[in-house]
């Protein structure tokens, strides 16, 4: 009923149906919006790069965050106050399937952040977009700094001979927060995998470990998986 009332609304009421279906933006507004979206996207780019704590940094994904901010703002500028385009955009997006797996949950957070900034800019809420970008960015930097100072998860892989087992057992007992993950016994030796929590200045014990008689090698790997307490 509301739709039919809008169609039958008199011209004297000041309502113009053509404004809904043919709303446009000036070229200056489009340029300003895209420039702000570009600036916010670059800001997200640097925040992701500074706070990244994964194993493999992907520059292409980070650049994709800039493009995601720009494209989202463009889409919102197209459908803003335009009913026909908004309905068509919903239909077009409903058939798109994204099959790229996001391994790190924080990457998904950055994607939603870029989309949210694009929505705010595309709907001309520039102040909200800029203030929220700065606030979220500062928060992520602070959280990243606190995480760096705290202990980080590592995997220690040791290959050694059976004769070195007593020394290895004594050595492991001195390691902080060590947890046995796996132990593989072969004819030519033993492979031991431990889960540790260490700070950057606590990794020197690996050099001492390889000097033990019967130890073939010792590898310390940064582990970004969730630890079970």
């Amino acid at each position: 009923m509301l739709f039919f009332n809008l169609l039958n609304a008199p011209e004297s009421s000041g309502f113009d149906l053509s404004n809904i279906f043919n709303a446009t933006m000036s070229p200056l507004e489009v340029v300003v919006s895209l420039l702000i979206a570009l600036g916010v996207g670059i800001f997200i780019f640097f925040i992701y790069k500074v706070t990244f704590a994964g194993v493999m940094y992907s520059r292409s994904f980070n650049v994709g965050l800039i493009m995601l901010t720009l494209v989202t703002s463009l889409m919102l500028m197209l459908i803003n106050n335009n009913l026909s385009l908004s309905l068509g955009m919903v239909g077009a997006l409903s058939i798109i399937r994204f099959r790229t797996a996001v391994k790190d949950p924080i990457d998904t957070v950055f994607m939603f952040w870029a989309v949210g900034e694009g929505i705010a800019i595309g709907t001309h809420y520039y102040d909200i977009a800029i203030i929220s970008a700065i606030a979220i960015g500062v928060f992520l930097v602070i959280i990243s700094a606190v995480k760096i100072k705290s202990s980080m998860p590592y995997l220690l892989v040791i290959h050694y001979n059976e004769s070195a087992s007593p020394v290895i057992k004594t050595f492991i007992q001195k390691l902080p927060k060590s947890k046995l993950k796996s132990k593989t016994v072969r004819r030519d030796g033993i492979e031991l995998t431990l889960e540790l929590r260490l700070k950057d200045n606590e990794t020197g014990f690996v050099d001492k470990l390889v000097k033990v008689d019967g130890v073939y090698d010792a590898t310390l790997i940064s582990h970004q998986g969730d630890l079970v307490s």
Side-chain angles (χ1 to χ4, degrees):
M1 293 298 295
L2 178 60
F3 181 74
F4 290 106
N5 291 335
L6 293 176
L7 291 177
N8 298 324
E11 296 182 358
S12 59
S13 62
F15 178 83
D16 188 0
L17 188 64
S18 62
N19 290 334
I20 293 181
F21 290 91
N22 298 301
T24 58
M25 295 178 60
S26 66
L28 180 60
E29 290 177 324
V30 175
V31 171
V32 170
S33 297
L34 291 178
L35 287 177
I36 295 176
L38 178 61
V40 173
I42 293 175
F43 178 76
I44 296 175
F45 175 92
F46 283 107
I47 293 297
Y48 180 83
K49 187 174 182 179
V50 171
T51 61
F52 180 77
V55 179
M56 295 290 291
Y57 169 74
S58 176
R59 189 176 186 277
S60 60
F61 173 81
N62 204 1
V63 173
L65 294 176
I66 301 177
M67 298 305 301
L68 188 60
T69 308
L70 287 168
V71 173
T72 305
S73 62
L74 174 63
M75 292 172 57
L76 264 294
M77 284 189 287
L78 288 173
I79 68 176
N80 190 26
N81 296 326
N82 195 314
L83 182 60
S84 58
L85 276 178
S86 62
L87 294 176
M89 190 70 70
V90 171
L93 293 178
S94 64
I95 64 175
I96 297 178
R97 297 292 184 270
F98 298 96
R99 299 184 181 274
T100 302
V102 180
K103 297 180 180 180
D104 195 341
I106 195 65
D107 291 347
T108 306
V109 174
F110 273 92
M111 292 174 63
F112 274 103
W113 184 19
V115 170
E117 295 293 340
I119 292 175
I121 295 170
T123 53
H124 302 164
Y125 289 101
Y126 303 134
D127 52 347
I128 296 178
I130 295 174
I131 294 173
S132 61
I134 295 174
I136 295 174
V138 171
F139 174 76
L140 289 174
V141 170
I142 294 174
I143 293 298
S144 177
V146 172
K147 186 177 181 180
I148 292 174
K149 293 180 180 179
S150 62
S151 59
M152 299 294 293
Y154 288 90
L155 288 178
L156 176 63
V157 182
I158 311 172
H159 294 93
Y160 60 95
N161 190 276
E162 179 66 28
S163 60
S165 295
V167 180
I168 295 297
K169 183 177 181 181
T170 304
F171 196 93
I172 291 174
Q173 292 175 350
K174 297 178 181 179
L175 294 177
K177 300 180 180 179
S178 61
K179 295 181 181 178
L180 178 64
K181 301 298 293 184
S182 68
K183 181 179 180 180
T184 305
V185 180
R186 302 186 181 93
R187 292 183 178 180
D188 58 345
I190 301 174
E191 179 184 278
L192 193 67
T193 303
L194 300 170
E195 190 176 75
L196 308 173
R197 275 195 169 272
L198 305 169
K199 295 182 180 179
D200 292 338
N201 58 353
E202 296 178 343
T203 59
F205 68 90
V206 181
D207 299 332
K208 299 178 181 179
L209 185 59
V210 295
K211 295 179 181 179
V212 176
D213 293 336
V215 176
Y216 302 135
D217 59 73
T219 306
L220 191 63
I221 306 170
S222 176
H223 172 59
Q224 299 299 327
D226 295 332
L227 298 178
V228 180
S229 57

